[in-house]
Amino acid sequence: MTRKVIIDCDMGTDDAVALCMALFDERLDILALTATEGCVTADQATRNLQAIVGMLDPDRHPRLGAATSTENAPAVNTTYLYGEDGLGNTGFEVSELQHMMPADKLIVDCIRANPGDVTVVCLGPYTNLARAFRRDPYVTEQVDRIVMMGGSIRAGGNITQAAEFNCYFDPQSAQEVFCSRTTKTLVPLDVTREVKFGLDLIDKLPERYCRAGEFLRQILPYAFRAYRQKLGQEDINLNDAVGILAMLEPELFEFEPMAGQVETEGQLTRGVTVFDRRMAPEWRNNMEVATSLKHEQAEAAIVKSLCLAGNAT
Ligand code: RIB
Ligand code: CA
């Protein structure tokens, strides 16, 4: 049986890799892909989403939801890692921007139409999901599971010293989703950083003559250059690819029940994920958190999934 999913993403390079993995996976029935503001603007995220689906042209085109601006978003510069357009300055064109439903409305519609059956995977800030819950609080009872890439247990931050990007960008929404009465899995930086790819990843990708191969070979070289020049790292991380993998192959991960919340206001700690790990905790567990993974098998599984995308295109 296939699993019904909605994937919500802010459309940077690692989101795009995650979509390549998901769009051709026979275990998934992708009801909708929704764009959110984050590592690129709302408009750019929507354009990237439409461009990717057009370019990869999967057998079944999911419904697409448009991003709209996030209230109180901080000024962040993420272009140094993924380029001005989030996809390595490849300049993919969208022939004509379709009229799309706002992402949060589409999320509500899909969950309402499939009560109890839908997994929502969040690969960007959790703005759309929080808005969907505000729009229709009953949806929290009808969503099957939420899988979120984001936060950090002990790994510190990647956008500030303390915070992971997806939680930092819209901490209010992150806190609302964390505190919602839903079944949640968090895939934090602590585990996504364990999965690393060297330049030899390029040789393992599908060939250029297939659509997925052409696409990946256009976007990934920029990320390798940026990681080396800006972070001094030869290997790249693909955080969102690991987020998708946690849904597809949870047996590669270890999970622990935890009680987590998000700091919404701190001067230095905006967006920090805080877990009650005291001997006598006062918060109730509200999610399972990935605490470790078999990184070599995870790397191989991601490559395998990208190769399958190549076979299908
Ligand atoms: O912190 C990593 C996350 O921030 C990833 O989802 C990346 O795409 C950005 O959204
Ligand atoms: Ca992302």
Side-chain angles (χ1 to χ4, degrees), residues 10 14-15 123-124 240:
D10 61 344
D14 59 339
D15 298 78
L123 303 178
D240 293 335

Side-chain angles (χ1 to χ4, degrees), residues 240-261:
D240 293 335
V242 183
I244 281 281
L245 192 68
M247 176 200 41
L248 290 170
E249 301 192 24
E251 63 283 359
L252 298 180
F253 295 73
E254 268 178 32
F255 298 93
E256 278 179 37
M258 286 194 200
Q261 296 200 42

Side-chain angles (χ1 to χ4, degrees), residues 7-18:
I7 304 176
D8 184 62
C9 39
D10 61 344
M11 295 317 307
T13 296
D14 59 339
D15 298 78
V17 173

Side-chain angles (χ1 to χ4, degrees), residues 153-268:
I153 314 167
R154 295 194 193 89
N158 60 354
I159 186 70
T160 66
Q161 289 81 348
E164 182 279 330
F165 180 81
N166 291 339
C167 291
Y168 172 79
F169 192 79
D170 185 356
Q172 186 58 45
S173 291
Q175 170 71 341
E176 283 176 40
V177 173
F178 272 40
C179 294
S180 63
R181 288 173 153 271
T182 50
T183 305
K184 292 173 284 290
T185 301
L186 187 74
V187 188
L189 276 184
D190 308 65
V191 293
T192 62
R193 277 187 175 160
E194 294 290 306
V195 177
K196 297 177 191 149
F197 295 95
L199 204 49
D200 62 339
L201 171 65
I202 303 287
D203 299 329
K204 298 177 191 161
L205 293 174
E207 295 296 338
R208 261 193 195 280
Y209 59 75
C210 62
R211 299 193 295 277
E214 171 66 19
F215 175 65
L216 293 165
R217 284 164 187 274
Q218 284 195 52
I219 63 170
L220 283 169
Y222 187 101
F224 277 104
R225 274 197 304 278
Y227 265 76
R228 192 174 58 246
Q229 289 168 4
K230 309 287 195 268
L231 304 182
Q233 227 177 279
E234 290 300 324
D235 297 331
I236 64 167
N237 300 114
L238 294 168
N239 298 301
D240 293 335
V242 183
I244 281 281
L245 192 68
M247 176 200 41
L248 290 170
E249 301 192 24
E251 63 283 359
L252 298 180
F253 295 73
E254 268 178 32
F255 298 93
E256 278 179 37
M258 286 194 200
Q261 296 200 42
V262 181
E263 174 58 70
T264 55
E265 288 178 3
Q267 285 268 329
L268 297 174

Side-chain angles (χ1 to χ4, degrees), residues 112-125:
R112 280 289 200 166
N114 300 275
D117 282 345
V118 180
T119 297
V120 182
V121 184
C122 294
L123 303 178

